[in-house]
Amino acid sequence: MITLNINKKNYKLDADPNTPLLWVLRDNIGLVGTKYGCGVAQCGACVVHLDGEAVRSCVTKISRAQGKKVVTIEGLSASNNHPLQKAWLELDVSQCGYCQAGQIMSAAVLLRENKSPTSQDIDDAMAGNICRCGTYLRIKEAIQLAAKESSSDK
Amino acid sequence: MKQFYNKRPSSALRTFFVLGSLFLFVGIMAFGSNLSIDKQSAINVKTNVVKDSVASVNAFKKVYAVLMSPRCMNCHPAGDVPLQGDDSHPHAMLPKRGLDGKGVSAMKCSNCHQPTNTPGPNTPPGNPNWHLPPADMKMVFEGRSPYQLAKQLVDPKQNGHKDMKKLIEHADDDLVLAGWNMGEGRAHPPLSHAEFKKAWITWLTTGAYAPQEK
Ligand code: FES
Ligand code: FES
């Protein structure tokens, strides 16, 4: 038995400790906001937060997540009101949407560590998240907007 | 009582004292010499250098071949992006070194590189301590000539403040060893770890000579 803390809830799972976290999130728990893109840490669709770090859940075994806090896109904010989620809606960032949960989870770590990222900081942080639809420019704009909004909130 | 006070120690007692102090003295000597032997051997490990420029340069050729192989050089890049693959191309996704060598914000090394290798081809190799050298001590291998690399490796200001003892120990560092266990589909360094370690120690203990610049 493995206990995982996901979005502030504890789940007891009867699963092989080598199972990728992504499998458990989607198939066992039913949190399907996190997507499977490549399965080999190459695309970023599966990014979730593990103790605040933007890990790729497709290559993160559940044994690594034990005793840590997992946050998925569903748990990023209380009512989809994280500054990034608001900016994403405001600018209609998504095209097909498949990569976007991973994009937002990566961007959330960037903004937590760097309240006013430069264009270069954004590129450096987001270079591992691929978007087949090519929404990169809107993603960048939305991150800038969220940074601006959250600094003017204070 | 008087008699007792006045009595000089009996010969047996005298022998006892004499022998006792002798043992004590021998004991101190032995202890002292043990100490000096220990010190001596400690110093020997550190600086037992028997200079031999020919043997040293020959050993460094092997060391250089290993350090410049993708398994070592890929994480000692000239820029701030690690290299990847047997052809040492810039790492896909261009992750950056960061100040501590562990990446930046959403692109930290351990976000993909797990404590162990991920099974299968084209998956991230793993180590609990996966990182590049830090920004203030980049320890660049990429592009270094044998002469430059040899000089750099023994300069504490450029080698992570390592003295001879630490340099020798570094051959068995976890991340160095990981070079021989990088997961499926990745070439090994050109020598075995045992051969590398032997060449490394030989190079250091024969004077760490740098090959002449051509
Ligand atoms: S699915 Fe995990 S990085 Fe692509
Ligand atoms: S919106 Fe379609 S993959 Fe990014």
Side-chain angles (χ1 to χ4, degrees):
Chain A
M1 273 295 184
I2 283 192
T3 305
L4 293 181
N5 184 285
I6 300 162
N7 300 336
K8 299 194 180 137
K9 269 196 218 154
N10 281 333
Y11 295 87
K12 272 201 162 59
L13 293 154
D14 186 12
D16 184 325
N18 289 324
T19 313
L21 178 58
L22 177 62
W23 273 227
V24 164
L25 290 174
R26 293 183 55 88
D27 295 354
N28 298 44
I29 302 177
L31 291 169
V32 292
T34 308
K35 299 293 189 275
Y36 171 88
C38 64
V40 288
Q42 304 271 341
C43 73
C46 66
V47 170
V48 300
H49 295 175
L50 183 66
D51 275 355
E53 297 295 353
V55 302
R56 296 181 176 222
S57 59
C58 65
V59 289
T60 302
K61 296 171 177 178
I62 53 173
S63 55
R64 183 181 170 198
Q66 220 177 348
K68 301 197 171 133
K69 290 194 161 59
V70 178
V71 175
T72 68
I73 186 72
E74 292 90 345
L76 181 64
S77 59
S79 50
N80 297 337
N81 60 349
H82 186 284
L84 284 164
Q85 289 169 309
K86 291 200 278 186
W88 243 249
L89 286 176
E90 170 89 21
L91 297 179
D92 256 338
V93 173
S94 296
Q95 180 79 20
C96 79
Y98 202 79
C99 71
Q100 301 293 343
Q103 305 278 6
I104 292 177
M105 295 309 275
S106 287
V109 172
L110 167 66
L111 287 192
R112 189 194 65 219
E113 293 192 357
N114 184 347
K115 304 277 177 244
S116 44
T118 61
S119 167
Q120 185 65 53
D121 293 338
I122 296 176
D123 289 346
D124 290 347
M126 303 302 294
N129 285 80
I130 295 179
C131 173
R132 289 176 305 180
C133 305
T135 63
Y136 300 108
L137 296 181
R138 290 204 295 273
I139 289 171
K140 195 166 185 175
E141 237 179 285
I143 294 173
Q144 282 159 337
L145 176 63
K148 210 162 73 200
E149 294 291 310
S150 28
S151 65
S152 64
D153 280 356
K154 275 159 206 154
Chain B
M1 291 297 279
K2 228 180 190 180
Q3 207 185 4
F4 186 71
Y5 275 128
N6 287 339
K7 204 177 173 192
R8 297 177 59 180
S10 72
S11 64
L13 258 178
R14 226 176 15 238
T15 319
F16 178 76
F17 279 130
V18 170
L19 274 182
S21 14
L22 212 95
F23 281 138
L24 193 67
F25 180 67
V26 170
I28 290 171
M29 285 298 287
F31 184 64
S33 70
N34 267 343
L35 267 188
S36 67
I37 286 170
D38 279 346
K39 251 190 214 157
Q40 195 61 41
S41 58
I43 291 165
N44 278 348
V45 172
K46 267 171 115 173
T47 57
N48 188 11
V49 171
V50 181
K51 293 209 170 188
D52 180 342
S53 60
V54 175
S56 195
V57 167
N58 279 338
F60 189 73
K61 270 186 203 148
K62 297 182 182 170
V63 168
Y64 185 76
V66 170
L67 299 193
M68 298 307 273
S69 80
R71 296 295 84 78
C72 298
M73 189 184 75
N74 283 1
C75 285
H76 289 266
D80 285 326
V81 172
L83 308 172
Q84 194 179 38
D86 288 352
D87 61 353
S88 298
H89 58 267
H91 191 301
M93 301 172 256
L94 308 178
K96 292 260 180 87
R97 180 191 306 274
L99 290 178
D100 59 2
K102 294 179 179 168
V104 293
S105 63
M107 290 286 279
K108 304 215 171 79
C109 307
S110 59
N111 290 353
C112 297
H113 295 278
Q114 306 295 315
T116 53
N117 290 336
T118 298
N122 305 312
T123 57
N127 184 281
N129 191 25
W130 196 274
H131 68 281
L132 292 186
D136 62 357
M137 180 76 75
K138 293 188 181 177
M139 300 183 241
V140 173
F141 292 179
E142 186 188 8
R144 294 284 188 261
S145 69
Y147 173 83
Q148 290 169 327
L149 190 61
K151 288 287 184 201
Q152 174 184 315
L153 286 168
V154 288
D155 175 3
K157 289 201 189 78
Q158 297 185 76
N159 74 5
H161 312 292
K162 291 184 189 68
D163 59 10
M164 173 75 102
K165 187 164 170 268
K166 286 204 179 120
L167 281 172
I168 289 177
E169 285 167 5
H170 194 63
D172 289 317
D173 177 86
D174 269 2
L175 260 191
V176 171
L177 282 163
W180 280 266
N181 174 31
M182 280 280 172
E184 213 173 309
R186 294 180 185 91
H188 278 199
L191 301 180
S192 72
H193 178 261
E195 289 167 320
F196 164 70
K197 185 174 167 182
K198 193 167 159 226
W200 174 247
I201 293 175
T202 304
W203 173 60
L204 289 167
T205 54
T206 49
Y209 282 88
Q212 290 291 315
E213 287 281 36
K214 296 245 163 69

